[in-house]
Amino acid sequence: MKKFLRIVWRELGIIRKRPLYILASVGVLAVNIVFYTTFFRDGLPSKLPIGLVDLDRTSTSRAFSQQLDATQLGQVVYYDDLHLARHDMETGKLTSFVVIPEGFNADLQAQHQPHMAYYVNSLYFVGGALAYKDIMTMVNLTNGAVQREILRAKGYNERTARAMIQPIVLDQHQIGNPATNYGVYLNGVLLPGILEMIVILVTIYAVGSELKYGTSRQLLGMADGSIEKALLGKLLPYNVIFTVLGIGLELLLFHWFHYPLRGSIGWMFLDMLLLVSASEALGMFLVELFPVLRLAVSVGAILSVLGISLAGFSLPVEAMPPYIQGFSAIFPLRHYYLIHVQETLWGSGFAGCWKEVVHLLLFLFLPAVLMGRLNHAYIYQDYERD
Amino acid sequence: MKGINFVSTWFRDWYSIFVHELRLIFSDAGAMVIFFVGGLLYPVLYNLIYMNGTVDEMPVAVVDLSDGAYSRRYLQKVDATRECEILLYCTSLEEARQLMQKRTVHGIIYVPADFDSRIVRGEQGFISTYADMSSFLYYKSLTMGTSLAMLDEMHQIQIENYQLPQMVEPEENMPYNRPFSYTIFFISAALMLVIQQTMFYGSSLLAGTLREQNRSFASLPRQLQGLGVGRVVLGRGAAYMAVYLVVGTIIALLVPWLFRLPQRADWTEIMILLLFFIVDCIFFTFTWSTLIWKRETVFVLFLSASPIILFLTGFSWPTSAIPTFWQWVSYLFPSTFGCRAFINLNTAGGTLATVAPEIRALAIQAAVYYFLSCAAIYVENLIVKKRG
């Protein structure tokens, strides 16, 4: 036990001597938290630039533009001709634009069904999709406003007219994110994903550095030649750092920012503990597989970036090609995400997440598989150092 | 005479540094892995992951308590959309909720018992939808599918029951990415980012190695006549240019062709953009890699910067909604302009004239970073000298 504590003490010395470890864990996570929470602080974009080419210039077209401008989402930018608006959409300045043709009002009054064209730039995802929704709503409202005038002239009362203008009303509910907040949706999984990346890289770096700087034999000596003891002692300080970071992150998201959470934060803590431990195990497995620091770091880097895409919270996993889908399971983040969904959307507790808990626990057996290989490298240091 | 001498020395030095750097690159397995495997593997992998790009025929559960002609016709229309597929009819909302919790379905449509009778009576009928918010694409598919079907059904009821025609004929134009495919919008931005980031990581890896071994390129100017900082920067830059003309061409021209992504620009225009972008990336890399003094630290410290830089390009969250502070930060990165220019040129089918502002920004940025990278070498040289 005393020897074990000496290994821990040695590691604390390394961490104090090289600021890299604290920078790469606490510093990097802090920068990412500040970035994502301030970047998406509005939750939904507002005042999207929507172009309007008003060739009609009548009270009807002006009323339309004023209403479009008054929506929370859109801000109207006026254009005199189509080409300028199109140019600005091509350069990404506009998310979309609407063209009100000449004679629009006259045709409308004569019930000639004038056209109203709109162009949407769907290359800029969120902006384009939202502008599209906004314009579709406004076109339908315009349609309804004219219909209402006609119905009133025919003598229908307000209630009947409303039912005729909009016979079906959709009442939309968003489970788990009632405000359709993009930040809540993204940060809830992306930030743990960044933590997974940090854990994998720092674990590889810490374990691999012993090889690079040729200190692995000294470490083994302190542990009486037991690689398990040596690694347990070495990684204990990191385990504490990662766990504190993880719990802090969950507290920040659900307690301080009040992200929607149907279930209890206790399950999120468990989820986070499992994510951190599984990622650490994955990092150890990689450095065992490639006991050369720079190679292990490069592979860890390539993998952990992919892990974020493959978690399936942006493009769902079932929409990926079948031969890619299986790969998602090798990343702890995928399982973290599934537990996260169960707990935040449904609050289903143990019943909802035990399968994924088992999956994450399986990761903990990974380092045992190739431990001998690392042991060999630690003793003989027979791989190239840099 | 002296002038000619200077020019010929300049070129000789420049050439020897260029060759030296190329040798360094090609003899370092780590850097080669990042430049060629990373640079070429990522575009292919991302194309495979995002191959389909849309959530089509998303499974939806239906609770139809009305079970009349109108509700059935509406549900058939939802089923017919590209976005939704009605997988199961449930008897209660609770049953449907459990299906969604098990992730069998990702949306629920609930039609209350009085729906049909209300429409027949000439009143408004209400339908509730519940979206699984664990992915925004589920939400988008359910919203699109149910709304499009609702509009169609609405107009049919208006014509059949009330002889009320549609007053405005909407004319939809979505020229670039009709199905709102994730592939087209993500890959277009990611391709340029891969160029910048692999160059930064690979080059920093090399610079870190050299500094670790006390043979940084910053000590080179001392061996040259006169102040040789410019020769060092341009000589090394030329080596990266040579590598990235190959990697960049493959990423920007071959990969989109291979995966049938839109290629609406002339290849010469893409090459011109690429030239500006790569030059900018080189000086950007030279400036910021000054921070890297050990080989592996670049990944440990700066890997998570990649997603941040990607969001800063405005490819997803609209530029107009990015907080001012982060907009200023975004001007630090070549990718902010490079990605936008590539999207507007290659995918939106603009011309060089439409991307002129971005190209101008890339040129200004390159000039600033050139001087900064010269200054960085000058300062590093002083530090190294002091240390002995």
mmCIF file with all atom_site columns, all heavy atoms in Angstrom, chain A residues 221-234:
data_model
loop_
_atom_site.group_PDB
_atom_site.id
_atom_site.type_symbol
_atom_site.label_atom_id
_atom_site.label_alt_id
_atom_site.label_comp_id
_atom_site.label_asym_id
_atom_site.label_entity_id
_atom_site.label_seq_id
_atom_site.pdbx_PDB_ins_code
_atom_site.Cartn_x
_atom_site.Cartn_y
_atom_site.Cartn_z
_atom_site.occupancy
_atom_site.B_iso_or_equiv
_atom_site.pdbx_formal_charge
_atom_site.auth_seq_id
_atom_site.auth_comp_id
_atom_site.auth_asym_id
_atom_site.auth_atom_id
_atom_site.pdbx_PDB_model_num
ATOM 1  N N   . GLY A 1 221 ? 9.666  -0.815 -11.291 1.00 0.00 ? 221 GLY A N   1
ATOM 2  C CA  . GLY A 1 221 ? 10.435 -1.145 -10.104 1.00 0.00 ? 221 GLY A CA  1
ATOM 3  C C   . GLY A 1 221 ? 9.725  -0.729 -8.838  1.00 0.00 ? 221 GLY A C   1
ATOM 4  O O   . GLY A 1 221 ? 9.670  -1.474 -7.858  1.00 0.00 ? 221 GLY A O   1
ATOM 5  N N   . MET A 1 222 ? 9.138  0.457  -8.880  1.00 0.00 ? 222 MET A N   1
ATOM 6  C CA  . MET A 1 222 ? 8.419  0.955  -7.712  1.00 0.00 ? 222 MET A CA  1
ATOM 7  C C   . MET A 1 222 ? 7.219  0.087  -7.378  1.00 0.00 ? 222 MET A C   1
ATOM 8  O O   . MET A 1 222 ? 6.741  0.058  -6.247  1.00 0.00 ? 222 MET A O   1
ATOM 9  C CB  . MET A 1 222 ? 7.946  2.399  -7.946  1.00 0.00 ? 222 MET A CB  1
ATOM 10 C CG  . MET A 1 222 ? 9.078  3.416  -7.912  1.00 0.00 ? 222 MET A CG  1
ATOM 11 S SD  . MET A 1 222 ? 8.495  5.044  -8.391  1.00 0.00 ? 222 MET A SD  1
ATOM 12 C CE  . MET A 1 222 ? 7.602  5.519  -6.932  1.00 0.00 ? 222 MET A CE  1
ATOM 13 N N   . ALA A 1 223 ? 6.672  -0.599 -8.430  1.00 0.00 ? 223 ALA A N   1
ATOM 14 C CA  . ALA A 1 223 ? 5.487  -1.424 -8.218  1.00 0.00 ? 223 ALA A CA  1
ATOM 15 C C   . ALA A 1 223 ? 5.864  -2.893 -8.079  1.00 0.00 ? 223 ALA A C   1
ATOM 16 O O   . ALA A 1 223 ? 5.033  -3.772 -8.317  1.00 0.00 ? 223 ALA A O   1
ATOM 17 C CB  . ALA A 1 223 ? 4.509  -1.229 -9.367  1.00 0.00 ? 223 ALA A CB  1
ATOM 18 N N   . ASP A 1 224 ? 7.092  -3.186 -7.737  1.00 0.00 ? 224 ASP A N   1
ATOM 19 C CA  . ASP A 1 224 ? 7.577  -4.562 -7.617  1.00 0.00 ? 224 ASP A CA  1
ATOM 20 C C   . ASP A 1 224 ? 7.353  -5.351 -8.904  1.00 0.00 ? 224 ASP A C   1
ATOM 21 O O   . ASP A 1 224 ? 7.000  -6.523 -8.863  1.00 0.00 ? 224 ASP A O   1
ATOM 22 C CB  . ASP A 1 224 ? 6.876  -5.301 -6.458  1.00 0.00 ? 224 ASP A CB  1
ATOM 23 C CG  . ASP A 1 224 ? 7.121  -4.594 -5.141  1.00 0.00 ? 224 ASP A CG  1
ATOM 24 O OD1 . ASP A 1 224 ? 8.232  -4.069 -4.973  1.00 0.00 ? 224 ASP A OD1 1
ATOM 25 O OD2 . ASP A 1 224 ? 6.190  -4.568 -4.320  1.00 0.00 ? 224 ASP A OD2 1
ATOM 26 N N   . GLY A 1 225 ? 7.502  -4.697 -10.023 1.00 0.00 ? 225 GLY A N   1
ATOM 27 C CA  . GLY A 1 225 ? 7.363  -5.378 -11.300 1.00 0.00 ? 225 GLY A CA  1
ATOM 28 C C   . GLY A 1 225 ? 5.947  -5.694 -11.720 1.00 0.00 ? 225 GLY A C   1
ATOM 29 O O   . GLY A 1 225 ? 5.725  -6.356 -12.722 1.00 0.00 ? 225 GLY A O   1
ATOM 30 N N   . SER A 1 226 ? 4.964  -5.213 -10.958 1.00 0.00 ? 226 SER A N   1
ATOM 31 C CA  . SER A 1 226 ? 3.577  -5.505 -11.339 1.00 0.00 ? 226 SER A CA  1
ATOM 32 C C   . SER A 1 226 ? 3.024  -4.369 -12.193 1.00 0.00 ? 226 SER A C   1
ATOM 33 O O   . SER A 1 226 ? 2.857  -3.242 -11.720 1.00 0.00 ? 226 SER A O   1
ATOM 34 C CB  . SER A 1 226 ? 2.719  -5.681 -10.086 1.00 0.00 ? 226 SER A CB  1
ATOM 35 O OG  . SER A 1 226 ? 1.371  -5.394 -10.399 1.00 0.00 ? 226 SER A OG  1
ATOM 36 N N   . ILE A 1 227 ? 2.752  -4.674 -13.463 1.00 0.00 ? 227 ILE A N   1
ATOM 37 C CA  . ILE A 1 227 ? 2.274  -3.641 -14.378 1.00 0.00 ? 227 ILE A CA  1
ATOM 38 C C   . ILE A 1 227 ? 0.910  -3.128 -13.947 1.00 0.00 ? 227 ILE A C   1
ATOM 39 O O   . ILE A 1 227 ? 0.601  -1.944 -14.062 1.00 0.00 ? 227 ILE A O   1
ATOM 40 C CB  . ILE A 1 227 ? 2.267  -4.175 -15.832 1.00 0.00 ? 227 ILE A CB  1
ATOM 41 C CG1 . ILE A 1 227 ? 1.775  -3.094 -16.812 1.00 0.00 ? 227 ILE A CG1 1
ATOM 42 C CG2 . ILE A 1 227 ? 1.387  -5.383 -15.997 1.00 0.00 ? 227 ILE A CG2 1
ATOM 43 C CD1 . ILE A 1 227 ? 2.860  -2.340 -17.468 1.00 0.00 ? 227 ILE A CD1 1
ATOM 44 N N   . GLU A 1 228 ? 0.071  -4.044 -13.416 1.00 0.00 ? 228 GLU A N   1
ATOM 45 C CA  . GLU A 1 228 ? -1.276 -3.633 -13.000 1.00 0.00 ? 228 GLU A CA  1
ATOM 46 C C   . GLU A 1 228 ? -1.193 -2.594 -11.884 1.00 0.00 ? 228 GLU A C   1
ATOM 47 O O   . GLU A 1 228 ? -1.850 -1.555 -11.927 1.00 0.00 ? 228 GLU A O   1
ATOM 48 C CB  . GLU A 1 228 ? -2.099 -4.836 -12.520 1.00 0.00 ? 228 GLU A CB  1
ATOM 49 C CG  . GLU A 1 228 ? -2.561 -5.775 -13.623 1.00 0.00 ? 228 GLU A CG  1
ATOM 50 C CD  . GLU A 1 228 ? -1.486 -6.807 -13.993 1.00 0.00 ? 228 GLU A CD  1
ATOM 51 O OE1 . GLU A 1 228 ? -0.412 -6.828 -13.336 1.00 0.00 ? 228 GLU A OE1 1
ATOM 52 O OE2 . GLU A 1 228 ? -1.710 -7.576 -14.948 1.00 0.00 ? 228 GLU A OE2 1
ATOM 53 N N   . LYS A 1 229 ? -0.348 -2.903 -10.915 1.00 0.00 ? 229 LYS A N   1
ATOM 54 C CA  . LYS A 1 229 ? -0.192 -1.996 -9.775  1.00 0.00 ? 229 LYS A CA  1
ATOM 55 C C   . LYS A 1 229 ? 0.358  -0.651 -10.257 1.00 0.00 ? 229 LYS A C   1
ATOM 56 O O   . LYS A 1 229 ? -0.113 0.421  -9.862  1.00 0.00 ? 229 LYS A O   1
ATOM 57 C CB  . LYS A 1 229 ? 0.769  -2.640 -8.772  1.00 0.00 ? 229 LYS A CB  1
ATOM 58 C CG  . LYS A 1 229 ? 0.653  -2.104 -7.370  1.00 0.00 ? 229 LYS A CG  1
ATOM 59 C CD  . LYS A 1 229 ? 1.533  -2.981 -6.482  1.00 0.00 ? 229 LYS A CD  1
ATOM 60 C CE  . LYS A 1 229 ? 1.648  -2.461 -5.079  1.00 0.00 ? 229 LYS A CE  1
ATOM 61 N NZ  . LYS A 1 229 ? 2.611  -3.273 -4.322  1.00 0.00 ? 229 LYS A NZ  1
ATOM 62 N N   . ALA A 1 230 ? 1.360  -0.737 -11.127 1.00 0.00 ? 230 ALA A N   1
ATOM 63 C CA  . ALA A 1 230 ? 1.989  0.481  -11.620 1.00 0.00 ? 230 ALA A CA  1
ATOM 64 C C   . ALA A 1 230 ? 0.970  1.371  -12.323 1.00 0.00 ? 230 ALA A C   1
ATOM 65 O O   . ALA A 1 230 ? 0.882  2.580  -12.069 1.00 0.00 ? 230 ALA A O   1
ATOM 66 C CB  . ALA A 1 230 ? 3.122  0.121  -12.578 1.00 0.00 ? 230 ALA A CB  1
ATOM 67 N N   . LEU A 1 231 ? 0.148  0.767  -13.203 1.00 0.00 ? 231 LEU A N   1
ATOM 68 C CA  . LEU A 1 231 ? -0.809 1.563  -13.974 1.00 0.00 ? 231 LEU A CA  1
ATOM 69 C C   . LEU A 1 231 ? -1.936 2.087  -13.089 1.00 0.00 ? 231 LEU A C   1
ATOM 70 O O   . LEU A 1 231 ? -2.386 3.220  -13.265 1.00 0.00 ? 231 LEU A O   1
ATOM 71 C CB  . LEU A 1 231 ? -1.378 0.739  -15.130 1.00 0.00 ? 231 LEU A CB  1
ATOM 72 C CG  . LEU A 1 231 ? -0.393 0.474  -16.270 1.00 0.00 ? 231 LEU A CG  1
ATOM 73 C CD1 . LEU A 1 231 ? -1.059 -0.306 -17.378 1.00 0.00 ? 231 LEU A CD1 1
ATOM 74 C CD2 . LEU A 1 231 ? 0.180  1.774  -16.816 1.00 0.00 ? 231 LEU A CD2 1
ATOM 75 N N   . LEU A 1 232 ? -2.368 1.249  -12.137 1.00 0.00 ? 232 LEU A N   1
ATOM 76 C CA  . LEU A 1 232 ? -3.433 1.705  -11.238 1.00 0.00 ? 232 LEU A CA  1
ATOM 77 C C   . LEU A 1 232 ? -2.979 2.937  -10.462 1.00 0.00 ? 232 LEU A C   1
ATOM 78 O O   . LEU A 1 232 ? -3.698 3.934  -10.368 1.00 0.00 ? 232 LEU A O   1
ATOM 79 C CB  . LEU A 1 232 ? -3.826 0.594  -10.264 1.00 0.00 ? 232 LEU A CB  1
ATOM 80 C CG  . LEU A 1 232 ? -4.839 -0.431 -10.799 1.00 0.00 ? 232 LEU A CG  1
ATOM 81 C CD1 . LEU A 1 232 ? -5.115 -1.486 -9.739  1.00 0.00 ? 232 LEU A CD1 1
ATOM 82 C CD2 . LEU A 1 232 ? -6.128 0.261  -11.210 1.00 0.00 ? 232 LEU A CD2 1
ATOM 83 N N   . GLY A 1 233 ? -1.769 2.862  -9.954  1.00 0.00 ? 233 GLY A N   1
ATOM 84 C CA  . GLY A 1 233 ? -1.254 3.991  -9.198  1.00 0.00 ? 233 GLY A CA  1
ATOM 85 C C   . GLY A 1 233 ? -1.051 5.202  -10.079 1.00 0.00 ? 233 GLY A C   1
ATOM 86 O O   . GLY A 1 233 ? -1.375 6.335  -9.712  1.00 0.00 ? 233 GLY A O   1
ATOM 87 N N   . LYS A 1 234 ? -0.544 4.958  -11.280 1.00 0.00 ? 234 LYS A N   1
ATOM 88 C CA  . LYS A 1 234 ? -0.253 6.046  -12.196 1.00 0.00 ? 234 LYS A CA  1
ATOM 89 C C   . LYS A 1 234 ? -1.527 6.755  -12.635 1.00 0.00 ? 234 LYS A C   1
ATOM 90 O O   . LYS A 1 234 ? -1.578 7.978  -12.741 1.00 0.00 ? 234 LYS A O   1
ATOM 91 C CB  . LYS A 1 234 ? 0.483  5.492  -13.410 1.00 0.00 ? 234 LYS A CB  1
ATOM 92 C CG  . LYS A 1 234 ? 0.918  6.577  -14.371 1.00 0.00 ? 234 LYS A CG  1
ATOM 93 C CD  . LYS A 1 234 ? 1.788  6.030  -15.468 1.00 0.00 ? 234 LYS A CD  1
ATOM 94 C CE  . LYS A 1 234 ? 2.094  7.120  -16.465 1.00 0.00 ? 234 LYS A CE  1
ATOM 95 N NZ  . LYS A 1 234 ? 2.839  8.254  -15.901 1.00 0.00 ? 234 LYS A NZ  1
#
